[in-house]
Amino acid sequence: MTDDPLGPLDSDFAVNFQRDDRRPPCQLYLISPLDVTGAFPDRLARALDAGPVAAFQFRVKDVDQHQAARLAEPLQRLCAARDVAFIVNDSVSLAKRLGADGVHLGQEDDDPREARAILGPSVQIGVTCHDSRHLAMEAGEAGADYVAFGSFYPTTTKEVKHRPEPVILSWWSAVFELPAVAIGGITPANAAPLIAAGADFLAVSGAVWGGDEAAAVRAFAAVLEPGSR
């Protein structure tokens, strides 16, 4: 269920929608575990070398900015060497300090307009929009470069309060050119409906870092390959 004030989505989207082949193929967007200490840089390198990854989001909690920067810098170098966008979660100030490729904002974080003024025109700004078309349209009007919907499936990575249906991706991709990221409990086994519905990116964390990261990225690459579904 959704509390979106725009009302229920037209069921025709769910029944009739087919992915628009004019949109770029869906890509993989990795999100870090909360603990990126120890051997994590080696794990990230293995993941990035295992298959195509478009972006990596640095997401840590309960550390000050100086420590966050120290943890981020080696990961940022790994991403830069592989042409993978390095996105900072929540913190505009950390993104600016690192010269990151982007920042991802929750609904309780800075306004995208303020982030744009601080970070400049070339930095990618993403916004969490839960299960709300209204929030997504507001984010687009505020200058976001992508919107994120979720959680589509149960996840242990964070508390789930919103559970959109894949049809929201169909509606968004049929109406707007702005990319949509699907997030929440996504695995190689359940990703196909989200790709078919129109997701431009799959944001994944636990499915990769909870086991063999290289094998997981290869499994996602197989599902993301056009014609594999």
Side-chain angles (χ1 to χ4, degrees):
M1 297 295 292
T2 176
D3 57 1
D4 194 330
L6 294 177
L9 288 165
D10 188 335
S11 62
D12 286 345
F13 278 113
V15 175
N16 298 324
F17 183 81
Q18 293 183 342
R19 185 180 184 87
D20 187 346
D21 290 336
R22 292 172 296 181
R23 294 180 82 93
C26 187
Q27 300 179 78
L28 192 61
Y29 179 143
L30 295 184
I31 299 177
S32 77
L34 294 179
D35 184 358
V36 296
T37 60
F40 182 76
D42 294 331
R43 296 193 69 194
L44 177 60
R46 286 195 294 272
L48 298 183
D49 290 341
V53 176
F56 171 76
Q57 184 184 127
F58 176 73
R59 179 177 178 264
V60 296
K61 303 290 184 182
D62 302 321
V63 298
D64 65 37
Q65 189 170 113
H66 298 296
Q67 183 181 357
R70 287 194 297 272
L71 292 170
E73 286 165 356
L75 309 180
Q76 186 176 14
R77 288 194 294 271
L78 289 170
C79 290
R82 293 159 174 82
D83 199 26
V84 174
F86 186 83
I87 311 295
V88 171
N89 178 261
D90 289 349
S91 177
V92 172
S93 60
L94 180 60
K96 183 173 179 63
R97 173 174 176 164
L98 293 171
D101 298 304
V103 66
H104 184 87
L105 303 174
Q107 286 297 316
E108 295 77 31
D109 298 324
D110 292 312
D111 184 277
R113 295 179 184 87
E114 296 175 1
R116 179 68 67 205
I118 294 168
L119 298 175
S122 62
V123 171
Q124 298 290 302
I125 297 175
V127 177
T128 293
C129 299
H130 303 305
D131 58 355
S132 173
R133 292 174 291 161
H134 177 71
L135 291 177
M137 289 188 289
E138 282 190 337
E141 291 170 358
D145 295 290
Y146 70 84
V147 297
F149 296 110
S151 175
F152 284 97
Y153 303 116
T155 175
T156 58
T157 302
K158 61 192 302 185
E159 183 182 359
V160 174
K161 296 181 179 178
H162 307 274
R163 286 292 301 275
E165 296 295 329
V167 64
I168 198 170
L169 299 167
S170 303
W171 169 79
W172 181 264
S173 61
V175 178
F176 299 99
E177 293 184 3
L178 205 67
V181 175
I183 190 170
I186 302 171
T187 70
N190 64 25
L194 303 178
I195 301 168
D200 296 290
F201 297 89
L202 300 180
V204 301
S205 185
V208 170
W209 309 119
D212 183 331
E213 61 277 356
V217 169
R218 287 193 293 268
F220 274 110
V223 176
L224 288 164
E225 181 69 26
S228 66
R229 295 168 301 281

